[in-house]
Amino acid sequence: MRPLHLSLFAFVLAAPSAFALKSDTQQPVYIDSNSQQLDMRSNQVIFEGNVSLKQGSISINAERIVVTRDKEKNAIHKIEAFGKPATFSQLTDDGRTLSGKANQLDYEVTSDQLVMLGQAELSQDGNVIKGSSIKYQIAQQKLIADSSHNERVTTVLQPSQANN
């Protein structure tokens, strides 16, 4: 496996302020699904069947979503989404839409990190990164895309982005 290390998120080379909307994490989380299971011991709620999660501008659609709460802080610690593929989208502070899809999406709230596993794809404004896995540290705007042994990481940069 060959990692591709990008010090700046490839899609926002020309946009200095492309952080996710800061207000999103202050918004309530709405989840619709066909069924829900609560495990109070592990502080997990499992949503299954055509699951739709919304928080501010964040939208996640999947077949299964697992939400884990931090017992001490009484706040969401982790969101895991599973699908063929699971998809997400979010507005950035500059009004652009960041979207992605993968067989599994793991969002660690405390570390502000998104890990996409299995046919991962991240896109914005026609720019695309594809790999077997993508790890995106949102606040630091750092991205690592990995390929499997028989695939390669693919990046498409639109001319206006590549020239800047």
Side-chain angles (χ1 to χ4, degrees):
M1 289 198 275
R2 266 192 209 145
L4 171 67
H5 299 277
L6 301 175
S7 61
L8 292 175
F9 189 46
F11 305 137
V12 292
L13 291 173
S17 63
F19 290 100
L21 280 179
K22 293 174 184 72
S23 62
D24 280 342
T25 58
Q26 305 305 315
Q27 303 296 319
V29 177
Y30 298 94
I31 304 171
D32 291 319
S33 65
N34 292 342
S35 68
Q36 170 183 321
Q37 301 171 28
L38 171 64
D39 183 341
M40 295 179 84
R41 287 188 180 181
S42 67
N43 274 333
Q44 287 188 334
V45 184
I46 300 169
F47 302 89
E48 293 185 311
N50 196 23
V51 186
S52 173
L53 179 149
K54 297 202 183 306
Q55 182 182 28
S57 76
I58 299 169
S59 178
I60 299 174
N61 295 292
E63 282 304 308
R64 181 174 190 246
I65 291 181
V66 178
V67 176
T68 305
R69 295 184 62 84
D70 183 316
K71 293 178 187 181
E72 295 172 11
K73 296 179 182 177
N74 196 28
I76 294 175
H77 167 70
K78 185 176 188 177
I79 298 172
E80 300 167 282
F82 305 89
K84 295 270 182 203
T87 63
F88 80 91
S89 66
Q90 181 175 21
L91 289 178
T92 59
D93 281 338
D94 62 1
R96 297 160 61 193
T97 300
L98 174 68
S99 60
K101 61 184 179 179
N103 294 336
Q104 181 175 342
L105 304 171
D106 295 336
Y107 177 58
E108 293 276 346
V109 176
T110 52
S111 63
D112 203 23
Q113 177 174 277
L114 174 67
V115 177
M116 305 168 66
L117 302 169
Q119 298 178 331
E121 181 178 314
L122 202 52
S123 62
Q124 185 175 52
D125 296 337
N127 302 298
V128 180
I129 294 179
K130 294 180 183 180
S132 59
S133 68
I134 297 173
K135 183 168 131 181
Y136 181 37
Q137 297 170 339
I138 298 166
Q140 292 87 17
Q141 289 189 295
K142 292 185 179 181
L143 180 129
I144 299 172
D146 247 337
S147 61
S148 64
H149 59 276
N150 60 349
E151 296 178 0
R152 296 176 50 89
V153 172
T154 302
T155 302
V156 177
L157 296 175
Q158 295 302 315
S160 61
Q161 300 291 319
N163 292 332
N164 289 322

